[in-house]
Amino acid sequence: MIRQFDIGQIDGGDRLTIEWDDGAVLVAPWVWVREHSHDPDTFHPVTQQRQVFTGGLDPDLRPVDLSIDDDHLVVTWANDDAPSVLPLSFVRDHAAAVPLPDETVLWDVATIAEQWPSVPHDVVMADDDGVRRWLDLVARYGFCMVTGTPATVDATRSLMERIGYIRETIFGGFWEFRPDLSKADTAYTNIELLPHTDGTYSHDAPGLQILQCLHHDGDGGASTMVDGFRIADELRRNAPEHYETLSTVEVPGQYIGDGAHLVAQRPVFRHDRGGRLVQVSFNNADRAPFLLPPDEMDRFYAALRAFEALANDDRLRWERRNPPGEAMLFDNWRVLHGRTAFTGYRHLCGGYVNREDYESRRRVLG
């Protein structure tokens, strides 16, 4: 329930303040309140798009009356604009929320090896509850195995489409790969790939990735996974100077080949405006040449060594040979993945889903 609200002095207050009993607080300028009115002239009821010309609103807009009931906030304006009506649930959604428990589980080998997150393929394909269960596990652990997935391209693609549409990249949409160097990437070889994230050369790196081994008739080829958020947490606590370096130095990535030269750059640890870690972006193989002033370069290399030591630490790097029939979905903004070297013929398939589509699916599922 609302504990109190304050519109300042009617003739001078420049913002609305609402406090709820649980401690949540909304502080909003009056222009924000006006442009978020849910009347049909301001807010299209079908498309949910804004229709008001925000740039034309009076920056000195002030109310002459305000009322709140269980369902709506109603504001009457001094300039004779029609009253603004905002659903109180909408207003509450934009309050500075009371901190909630973090759903993220920071894991290491000891905590994940005995019981890793998994969900049966039939459950995911049956209904939305199964998809919700699957994606909730990904949100918690950064990955989830889908057991009993038919070891076919079509079945793996259909599984991905339970989340959203498949992203097109330099590798195509849904892709298959073998050790044949059909693309200019060492993923298309049989050599070891150290833990990394994909798409460091893309301004918007793929959000989620799915992989399934369809066939392997040789040795090696175990998948490796590391919780990048766990690495960040250890560095933040034990080596804050390295954490700061990896949070501020923009590291360039590049892809050269197949008629393309892709380049993008961002810090290894990217944060939102509230300071929350939202993305780990690291691929030493794809790091483009760059040179900082000597002291800064020394600090970067020291931080890089600390990061790679943790990424390849047996405490943190989980290694497992995933058999055909287990499709692995993981958060490419959090989990580093790799593989050990292998012999023989190995055939995998997979693809990417955009981050916003994954987040959208979770919101719609509730």
Side-chain angles (χ1 to χ4, degrees), residues 54-66:
T54 303
L57 295 177
D58 181 359
D60 296 321
L61 186 68
R62 295 292 184 271
V64 292
D65 190 35
L66 179 147

Side-chain angles (χ1 to χ4, degrees), residues 175 177 209-213 326-330 337 348-350:
W175 27 259
F177 60 102
Q209 181 174 176
I210 199 167
L211 289 172
Q212 179 172 205
C213 180
E326 285 192 4
M328 179 172 66
L329 177 69
F330 58 92
H337 67 287
L348 276 76
C349 69

Side-chain angles (χ1 to χ4, degrees), residues 45-304:
V46 176
T47 68
Q48 300 188 49
Q49 291 173 295
R50 184 178 296 109
Q51 303 205 111
V52 68
F53 175 42
T54 303
L57 295 177
D58 181 359
D60 296 321
L61 186 68
R62 295 292 184 271
V64 292
D65 190 35
L66 179 147
S67 63
I68 293 177
D69 60 28
D70 291 338
D71 298 315
H72 293 93
L73 166 69
V74 181
V75 182
T76 303
W77 302 108
N79 66 355
D80 295 328
D81 274 5
S84 293
V85 179
L86 287 73
L88 202 56
S89 58
F90 171 86
V91 177
R92 180 64 172 81
D93 285 345
H94 290 81
V98 177
L100 298 175
D102 192 345
E103 65 180 339
T104 301
V105 173
L106 303 181
W107 53 266
D108 59 13
V109 171
T111 58
I112 208 74
E114 294 300 321
Q115 188 172 358
W116 54 87
S118 66
V119 62
H121 174 264
D122 290 348
V123 169
V124 175
M125 300 303 292
D127 54 35
D128 283 350
D129 286 342
V131 178
R132 181 187 299 107
R133 176 178 164 188
W134 181 31
L135 298 186
D136 284 351
L137 287 169
V138 173
R140 182 173 292 270
Y141 297 99
F143 77 99
C144 182
M145 307 290 191
V146 182
T147 58
T149 303
T152 66
V153 169
D154 288 345
T156 313
R157 181 190 294 111
S158 295
L159 184 63
M160 284 195 73
E161 290 171 344
R162 295 290 286 156
I163 309 171
Y165 70 87
I166 298 169
R167 171 171 171 158
E168 288 278 343
T169 68
I170 191 71
F171 303 104
F174 192 84
W175 27 259
E176 303 175 56
F177 60 102
R178 307 165 180 83
D180 58 7
L181 269 179
S182 60
K183 291 287 185 181
D185 194 287
T186 48
Y188 292 77
T189 70
N190 63 352
I191 67 176
E192 179 184 22
L193 302 179
L194 293 177
H196 63 280
T197 63
D198 281 9
T200 55
Y201 43 77
S202 297
H203 294 299
D204 174 25
L208 269 71
Q209 181 174 176
I210 199 167
L211 289 172
Q212 179 172 205
C213 180
L214 303 178
H215 178 78
H216 185 195
D217 63 5
D219 297 321
S223 295
T224 57
M225 300 186 73
V226 187
D227 186 352
F229 282 12
R230 171 64 181 265
I231 294 174
D233 183 67
E234 293 206 5
L235 286 176
R236 181 183 55 79
R237 288 186 289 106
N238 302 323
E241 71 282 6
H242 295 331
Y243 187 90
E244 175 68 15
T245 296
L246 296 176
S247 299
T248 54
V249 174
E250 293 195 344
V251 181
Q254 69 177 357
Y255 180 96
I256 302 175
D258 306 305
H261 185 182
L262 307 178
V263 179
Q265 60 184 31
R266 59 183 157 269
V268 173
F269 299 141
R270 189 173 68 83
H271 301 78
D272 64 16
R273 63 183 181 181
R276 182 177 65 95
L277 179 65
V278 295
Q279 183 180 10
V280 175
S281 179
F282 178 83
N283 191 323
N284 202 52
D286 288 346
R287 177 161 50 85
F290 77 113
L291 183 62
L292 301 170
D295 289 349
E296 294 180 38
M297 204 75 220
D298 289 343
R299 286 194 291 272
F300 171 74
Y301 280 130
L304 179 69

